[in-house]
Amino acid sequence: MEGLKLAESLQQRFNTRKPNIPLFISTLASIPTFPKPPKSNLGSTNSCKAYTGIRVRTLVKVFPKKSRDMGYIRQITSASLQPVTTEIVEKDSKDVPFSGDSIRQRFLEFYASRGHSLLPSASLVPDDPTVLLTIAGMLQFKPIFLGKVPREVPRATTAQRCIRTNDVENVGQTSRHHTFFEMLGNFSFGDYFKREAIKWAWELTIKDFALPPEVLWITVFEDDDETFSIWHDEIGIPVERIKRMGEEDNFWTSGVTGPCGPCSEIYYDFHPERGFSDVDLNDDSRFIEFYNLVFMQYNKKDDGTLEPLKQQNIDTGLGLERMARILQKVPNNYETDLIYPIIEKAAALASVSYPEADDRIKSSLKIIGDHMRAVVYLISDGVYPSNIGRGYVVRRLIRRAVRIGRLLGIKGDGHGNIEGAFLPEIAVKVIELSSQIDADVKGRAPRILEELKREELRFVQTLERGEKLLDQVLTSALLRNPPCLSGKDAFLLYDTYGFPIEITMEVAEEQGVNIDMKSFNSEMENQRRQSQAAHNVVKLAVENSSELVGSVYDTEFLGYDTLSSQAEIKGLLVKGDPVLRVHEGSDVDILLNRTPFYAESGGQVGDHGFLYVSEDGVKPKAIVEIKDVQKSLGNIFVHKGTIREGALEVGAVVEAKVDAILRQQAKVHHSATHLLQAALKSVIGQETSQAGSLVAFERLRFDFNFHRPLNDNEIVEIEGMINKWIGHTTDLQTKVMPLTDAKKAGAIAMFGEKYSGQVRVVEVPGVSMELCGGTHVSNTCELRGFKIISEQAVASGIRRIEAVAGEAFIGYMNFRDNHMRHLCSTLKVKAEDVTDRVDSLLEELRTVRNEISAVRAKAAVYKASTMSSKAFSVGTTQMIRVVVENMDDIDADSLKSAAEYLIDNLQDPAAVVLGSCPSEGKVSLVAAFSPGVMDLGLQAGKFIGPIAKLCGGGGGGRPNFAQAGGRQPENLSSALEKARTELVTILSEKAS
């Protein structure tokens, strides 16, 4: 390919750029040409496509233009498995020569031209249950590195989207930490090793990226003489710029056991003038590591010894944001063109200038820029805010951005609506920058923006509740000597209510309250350790089952066509350990060479059934009951069962028989799931999509993205539509075709499925077409009927429908009918009159309850009238009447009536505090202050909260009247005594 050259007009334009966006242009004239890709690997030099087994991805290519500045082929990546085509477009003259997009492009072109297959970025939701989010470029290749699945290509290159949250507190504080970042990688699966990896990394760095060799430093593992020799003797790096590092820095391992090996890193020196003495590569002010080469050559055994891997692998990572910082000559990763436009948008909403801002404001803007990139791509990949798992990561990042935005003074959406959300406005800029990272983000923009708006506005309400809690805990803190807010309360405000510690400190200082920051920092550290433990581990352990990998191949699945077949036992495992023979009564995992049993995947549960070992072809020698089937080690089916009779041994031939009744129910519910998704798209909108599913024998469960509950009319319409399709008795059509053809035909992917080059398409003609590996009915009439049994929220923006079809539908309807008959018999009415009769009974019940409540209130008032005589006086210059009493077991409403009676009948000024235990494990408290007491500075709402806390509860209310509750009745007496003591102390001081 021809080299990348700037026209003179462009060079002049870059030389006159705005000062706050510096660019690296000093070496433009010497930018080298791209090597031509080998025709044997990539075909024509005018296109660079690599078939990935998942989709075709088209590379960016840069060509010189004779009549214009330059042109390029736009790179289109897709997380939705969408095939793409090459599109020639004109390059925007405002694009920088070393833009983030061009750096990504150059890296991928470089390795594609050296025979690497260009594979797409995996989703941020990994196909790996051991990892919460995709935290490294190598994650999608984990099964290959472990030798559990065969390699499809010998070498590959990717631009992988990654999320890491273990260093979230460093985001915005350092120049290089991010939650969302892109890792450019080149990988070898037993193809090339150290020498090629090093030479190509160096060539890319000094030629294609034109970095001066004299500012580059190298680290190697302290015992890795081979790597040291390559860098020094073959590449020519001076000894003084090669650092030998220990195991902690330069030996990569996946865990206690598993693949591992030494690594070598390339650092950029921002201040070479400081020389070679006392060099610390961890000095962020001078150095930044931008390229890491991992030489995966050992397997770490249980005893800690290292044994050579059969297949030596290369796993590298070049940080895109870091390289952009270096090439664009900016002081930190955030001021590159990958993030800076987002920061500028946030600054505009905050009415501040980033270049003129102080460090605190700049740090806040960096955090917003970083977090907005993370949440936009996470939501695009189907991760929605919630309180568990991945959803909690999204929620925390959104809340952190909202907190910081409010701290910066951002109010409203920037369009005059001060009650509006500002995150969607910033997200628009992230989406504008997304086309070269993930082209699907723009198509999902409406859903992303709506989710951000909803979550932000909900959190603002939480913040407002936090303000009330802050008021309460500060009131309690004022009662201590000296006044001090506990670190635990401050952390509760921060963690649960999103209250920045800076705001808590400011408000506390105004009221003369200190904060136990040591305790607060301890709580923060505990949370940080838990976060690191949960999110920063890539498990690649070679388990005991690894010895089976060489002898057990993928299981041949026969279950689409038959429910019984003969098979050979290829492996037996008991508690994860391989064995040769298993006896009666044992639980065992069985590996067969072929099977009719469906293994759980795509939401459909694994089949049940039996394995039989016959003796003389007649009498069973052994019987195994199969209760589950799972996929493992790539595509190996693990049959989980219990030996009911006899014994099993490796090599035996078994007759495998699936439970036909249960399989039919699974097929019915899987086909019904496809119809349900089609009906939902028709009734509530095409933009809704699946967010999870369960296809079980007794029911189906379908999770989908939607922001509100379905109303009764919508549920009726969905059920009616599906039952109509069932009644059409339509034959289902199943085809196997290339993925690209399936996508062109309009087939949609099922959530959680992983697809290869050839895919299975299940179609209900005129209704639904989906990529699906599950089992299905032959005709819709087999569903018999469809009924939704529940619809509810399971997370923010995620709804769940549970439904039944087939035999489960008949059973459910019979169950409901039996209950209705019993209800009709009990109420002595016809079925059509049940609703009216129940409404009548409920009205009668409400009337009786109101009458009882009125009687209780009168009784409480009467009891209160006898307490008037128990009022005592406080003060000398002003006499204040005080009543503090326990009213035994009266309910909260009656307690309120009693307090109102007393405050109305006692002469102003007066203060009343009453308590009761209306039921087991429950405390009710009420405080009522007359105007004269409030004039002295006391407020009922602030007073009652700390009192209720003694009873294990809380509460508040207005200055004149407040209610509270608790869960520790045994503490009521001491709480009322504390109320009496504090009232006497405070009122005596103020009324004397």
Side-chain angles (χ1 to χ4, degrees):
M1 183 189 293
E2 295 286 346
L4 176 68
K5 298 180 181 178
L6 281 178
E8 291 183 4
S9 60
L10 273 180
Q11 292 189 20
Q12 184 176 4
R13 184 179 298 113
F14 290 133
N15 285 327
T16 58
R17 67 191 181 278
K18 295 181 179 180
N20 63 332
I21 310 180
L23 302 172
F24 180 53
I25 61 170
S26 60
T27 59
L28 290 180
S30 61
I31 294 177
T33 61
F34 284 111
K36 293 182 179 181
K39 293 183 179 181
S40 60
N41 287 317
L42 298 171
S44 170
T45 58
N46 289 330
S47 68
C48 196
K49 293 183 179 180
Y51 184 66
T52 69
I54 300 177
R55 64 170 172 268
V56 175
R57 176 169 175 175
T58 305
L59 296 175
V60 180
K61 301 191 86 174
V62 180
F63 298 91
K65 299 285 286 185
K66 295 182 179 179
S67 59
R68 298 187 180 182
D69 291 336
M70 65 181 66
Y72 72 101
I73 296 178
R74 176 176 298 151
Q75 171 190 350
I76 301 177
T77 63
S78 171
S80 69
L81 313 179
Q82 180 100 18
V84 295
T85 56
T86 304
E87 175 190 359
I88 304 295
V89 298
E90 290 303 314
K91 182 172 179 64
D92 190 332
S93 63
K94 294 183 293 183
D95 283 354
V96 298
F98 279 112
S99 68
D101 287 341
S102 71
I103 294 169
R104 184 191 308 107
Q105 160 207 330
R106 283 170 180 244
F107 182 95
L108 297 173
E109 284 278 0
F110 180 89
Y111 283 103
S113 69
R114 284 153 181 79
H116 290 67
S117 296
L118 178 56
L119 303 183
S121 170
S123 168
L124 291 173
V125 180
D127 185 26
D128 185 338
T130 69
V131 184
L132 192 67
L133 294 164
T134 298
I135 63 173
M138 52 70 61
L139 194 60
Q140 65 171 305
F141 305 118
K142 170 181 170 180
I144 302 175
F145 287 141
L146 286 174
K148 292 183 175 181
V149 299
R151 68 180 192 183
E152 294 185 7
V153 295
R155 55 181 74 171
T157 184
T158 65
Q160 176 63 53
R161 306 187 303 276
C162 299
I163 291 283
R164 291 184 190 172
T165 59
N166 54 299
D167 289 323
V168 68
E169 297 299 332
N170 290 324
V171 171
Q173 306 301 320
T174 70
S175 63
R176 59 182 175 84
H177 281 97
H178 301 287
T179 56
F180 174 88
F181 58 95
E182 286 187 81
M183 190 62 74
L184 309 178
N186 57 286
F187 306 91
S188 168
F189 312 114
D191 187 17
Y192 61 85
F193 201 46
K194 292 181 181 180
R195 180 166 283 101
E196 295 87 345
I198 292 171
K199 287 186 175 181
W200 285 336
W202 185 252
E203 181 182 353
L204 173 72
T205 299
I206 68 168
K207 292 185 178 180
D208 284 69
F209 291 139
L211 295 186
E214 61 271 15
V215 300
L216 301 177
W217 290 65
I218 307 299
T219 66
V220 300
F221 179 53
E222 56 190 358
D223 296 333
D224 191 357
D225 295 332
E226 180 187 3
T227 298
F228 188 97
S229 175
I230 295 172
W231 279 117
H232 177 57
D233 299 333
E234 301 183 31
I235 302 298
I237 306 297
V239 172
E240 59 267 24
R241 283 196 281 114
I242 305 178
K243 291 285 187 180
R244 290 184 183 265
M245 308 288 278
E247 183 175 344
E248 181 177 352
D249 294 302
N250 276 67
F251 194 92
W252 182 89
T253 180
S254 60
V256 178
T257 62
C260 58
C263 61
S264 181
E265 300 160 330
I266 308 178
Y267 285 75
Y268 184 87
D269 185 357
F270 293 105
H271 296 285
E273 72 279 1
R274 297 181 184 175
F276 304 102
S277 62
D278 299 323
V279 167
D280 179 7
L281 293 177
N282 292 318
D283 180 0
D284 285 351
S285 67
R286 177 174 177 180
F287 296 101
I288 187 171
E289 173 208 341
F290 64 87
Y291 211 152
N292 186 14
L293 316 177
V294 177
F295 310 125
M296 201 181 297
Q297 62 189 96
Y298 301 113
N299 173 42
K300 190 174 184 180
K301 301 173 68 175
D302 290 333
D303 59 4
T305 60
L306 301 179
E307 63 178 4
L309 287 173
K310 296 178 181 178
Q311 172 180 292
Q312 294 180 328
N313 305 302
I314 289 293
D315 162 25
T316 78
L318 184 148
L320 175 60
E321 290 80 6
R322 298 184 183 196
M323 182 58 82
R325 171 194 175 186
I326 295 168
L327 294 179
Q328 295 176 20
K329 290 287 186 178
V330 293
N332 55 71
N333 296 3
Y334 297 92
E335 295 182 34
T336 66
D337 66 334
L338 294 166
I339 307 176
Y340 193 70
I342 308 168
I343 291 176
E344 284 188 312
K345 180 64 177 180
L349 290 172
S351 300
V352 298
S353 167
Y354 178 86
E356 299 173 3
D358 59 28
D359 289 343
R360 182 185 65 82
I361 292 177
K362 283 184 176 179
S363 176
S364 296
L365 291 169
K366 290 174 186 176
I367 292 171
I368 292 176
D370 169 90
H371 287 10
M372 288 309 300
R373 288 213 304 168
V375 298
V376 164
Y377 287 100
L378 281 167
I379 295 173
S380 177
D381 277 358
V383 183
Y384 292 88
S386 71
N387 288 328
I388 58 173
R390 302 179 182 101
Y392 185 63
V393 174
V394 177
R395 175 157 286 170
R396 286 294 303 276
L397 294 178
I398 290 175
R399 290 188 169 189
R400 198 161 188 254
V402 173
R403 291 198 320 261
I404 291 171
R406 286 167 67 91
L407 198 62
L408 285 172
I410 299 179
K411 294 182 178 179
D413 60 7
H415 300 291
N417 179 10
I418 62 172
E419 301 297 328
F422 70 88
L423 292 187
E425 294 299 312
I426 302 175
V428 168
K429 179 58 66 175
V430 181
I431 293 168
E432 288 177 3
L433 299 172
S434 69
S435 61
Q436 303 298 318
I437 303 172
D438 181 0
D440 282 341
V441 172
K442 286 190 176 181
R444 297 164 182 160
R447 187 193 309 163
I448 295 169
L449 299 179
E450 180 61 30
E451 192 62 39
L452 284 171
K453 176 182 177 181
R454 184 165 48 251
E455 183 68 14
E456 178 181 345
L457 295 180
R458 181 186 292 113
F459 179 51
V460 167
Q461 295 175 350
T462 303
L463 275 175
E464 292 171 351
R465 292 195 296 271
E467 291 171 355
K468 295 179 181 178
L469 176 61
L470 176 60
D471 191 39
Q472 292 175 17
V473 296
L474 287 178
T475 300
S476 179
L478 283 167
L479 300 176
R480 302 187 180 97
N481 189 17
C484 183
L485 179 65
S486 73
K488 188 173 183 179
D489 283 342
F491 184 74
L492 174 68
L493 286 160
Y494 170 82
D495 189 53
T496 302
Y497 293 92
F499 240 71
I501 187 62
E502 296 87 353
I503 291 182
T504 303
M505 294 171 67
E506 183 180 338
V507 176
E509 184 179 357
E510 290 174 356
Q511 299 193 27
V513 176
N514 293 321
I515 298 178
D516 184 355
M517 291 303 299
K518 183 178 180 180
S519 176
F520 174 83
N521 291 331
S522 177
E523 296 282 346
M524 287 286 290
E525 184 60 28
N526 287 338
Q527 184 196 65
R528 186 178 293 112
R529 284 197 298 266
Q530 292 170 2
S531 175
Q532 289 174 339
H535 305 318
N536 196 35
V537 178
V538 179
K539 297 181 180 177
L540 281 176
V542 178
E543 302 161 358
N544 292 336
S545 57
S546 62
E547 60 191 78
L548 294 171
V549 174
S551 60
V552 179
Y553 298 93
D554 286 355
T555 309
E556 180 185 1
F557 178 58
L558 310 172
Y560 291 136
D561 303 314
T562 182
L563 295 183
S564 66
S565 69
Q566 283 195 337
E568 180 184 350
I569 297 177
K570 306 299 290 185
L572 297 170
L573 297 97
V574 175
K575 296 181 179 180
D577 295 322
V579 296
L580 295 176
R581 185 177 177 85
V582 189
H583 297 280
E584 184 175 323
S586 299
D587 293 330
V588 60
D589 292 346
I590 305 166
L591 311 181
L592 304 176
N593 65 330
R594 58 210 304 258
T595 183
F597 285 81
Y598 183 83
E600 180 176 336
S601 61
Q604 182 175 330
V605 298
D607 280 330
H608 292 190
F610 289 88
L611 302 181
Y612 300 96
V613 179
S614 298
E615 190 172 40
D616 299 327
V618 181
K619 182 180 178 181
K621 183 179 178 181
I623 300 176
V624 184
E625 183 179 9
I626 302 298
K627 285 296 187 181
D628 190 20
V629 185
Q630 297 286 328
K631 285 185 181 180
S632 182
L633 306 176
N635 198 39
I636 296 174
F637 287 33
V638 181
H639 303 72
K640 296 180 175 293
T642 302
I643 300 180
R644 299 303 181 191
E645 295 181 18
L648 284 186
E649 57 185 28
V650 174
V653 175
V654 300
E655 182 73 20
K657 291 189 176 182
V658 174
D659 186 318
I661 295 175
L662 293 181
R663 165 66 79 83
Q664 178 64 16
Q665 274 302 99
K667 290 164 57 177
V668 162
H669 282 138
H670 209 149
S671 298
T673 300
H674 286 212
L675 296 183
L676 174 57
Q677 178 161 230
L680 282 167
K681 287 180 175 293
S682 176
V683 174
I684 64 175
Q686 291 295 320
E687 68 279 1
T688 190
S689 61
Q690 183 178 345
S693 69
L694 171 67
V695 177
F697 306 127
E698 71 280 1
R699 74 188 192 285
L700 68 87
R701 188 179 73 208
F702 187 84
D703 296 346
F704 59 101
N705 303 309
F706 203 52
H707 61 278
R708 63 167 175 81
L710 299 182
N711 59 48
D712 291 342
N713 290 336
E714 288 169 332
I715 290 177
V716 169
E717 185 177 358
I718 290 168
E719 289 179 337
M721 189 174 292
I722 294 173
N723 283 308
K724 182 177 69 175
W725 291 333
I726 292 172
H728 287 166
T729 63
T730 304
D731 288 332
L732 275 69
Q733 297 179 5
T734 303
K735 302 175 183 177
V736 176
M737 63 178 68
L739 176 64
T740 52
D741 292 348
K743 297 299 294 181
K744 289 177 182 177
I748 62 175
M750 293 290 282
F751 183 87
E753 281 279 19
K754 185 176 181 180
Y755 302 100
S756 59
Q758 293 290 313
V759 294
R760 187 168 180 265
V761 178
V762 177
E763 181 180 9
V764 183
V767 176
S768 167
M769 180 188 293
E770 299 189 17
L771 307 182
C772 183
T775 62
H776 288 270
V777 299
S778 300
N779 188 287
T780 57
C781 69
E782 295 178 49
L783 273 62
R784 305 180 70 177
F786 176 89
K787 184 68 179 177
I788 293 175
I789 58 178
S790 70
E791 191 274 341
Q792 60 187 340
V794 291
S796 176
I798 305 292
R799 309 293 302 177
R800 171 173 293 171
I801 284 177
E802 292 194 355
V804 289
E807 285 299 319
F809 166 80
I810 300 300
Y812 176 77
M813 297 307 295
N814 287 336
F815 176 80
R816 291 283 296 269
D817 187 56
N818 289 336
H819 274 279
M820 177 58 76
R821 282 201 301 268
H822 179 72
L823 190 59
C824 290
S825 175
T826 301
L827 297 176
K828 301 189 184 327
V829 295
K830 297 178 181 179
E832 58 268 26
D833 297 327
V834 165
T835 301
D836 290 340
R837 181 59 178 146
V838 170
D839 288 342
S840 175
L841 289 173
L842 288 175
E843 183 59 35
E844 291 176 16
L845 182 59
R846 281 191 291 267
T847 301
V848 171
R849 283 179 174 173
N850 290 337
E851 291 174 353
I852 292 173
S853 179
V855 171
R856 285 176 176 171
K858 289 179 181 180
V861 169
Y862 174 77
K863 191 171 184 178
S865 67
T866 65
M867 290 181 177
S868 298
S869 61
K870 296 183 179 182
F872 58 91
S873 298
V874 177
T876 55
T877 60
Q878 186 179 17
M879 301 301 293
I880 303 171
R881 304 289 287 167
V882 177
V883 175
V884 180
E885 292 292 335
N886 186 339
M887 297 195 70
D888 300 325
D889 60 353
I890 71 171
D891 62 86
D893 289 338
S894 300
L895 196 67
K896 176 183 176 183
S897 299
E900 290 172 342
Y901 171 84
L902 285 169
I903 207 69
D904 289 341
N905 285 274
L906 292 173
Q907 185 177 357
D908 186 27
V912 175
V913 176
L914 302 177
S916 70
C917 299
S919 60
E920 184 177 354
K922 187 174 182 180
V923 174
S924 291
L925 289 163
V926 66
F929 293 169
S930 71
V933 172
M934 289 187 292
D935 290 343
L936 294 176
L938 271 72
Q939 296 185 14
K942 292 184 178 181
F943 182 83
I944 199 66
I947 302 301
K949 194 171 184 179
L950 296 176
C951 296
R958 304 185 305 275
N960 67 317
F961 192 89
Q963 289 181 283
R967 300 175 300 279
Q968 299 170 356
E970 65 274 13
N971 295 338
L972 177 59
S973 296
S974 58
L976 290 174
E977 185 59 35
K978 180 176 176 63
R980 180 181 288 105
T981 301
E982 291 189 0
L983 281 175
V984 170
T985 301
I986 298 171
L987 293 176
S988 295
E989 179 183 345
K990 293 182 177 294
S992 299

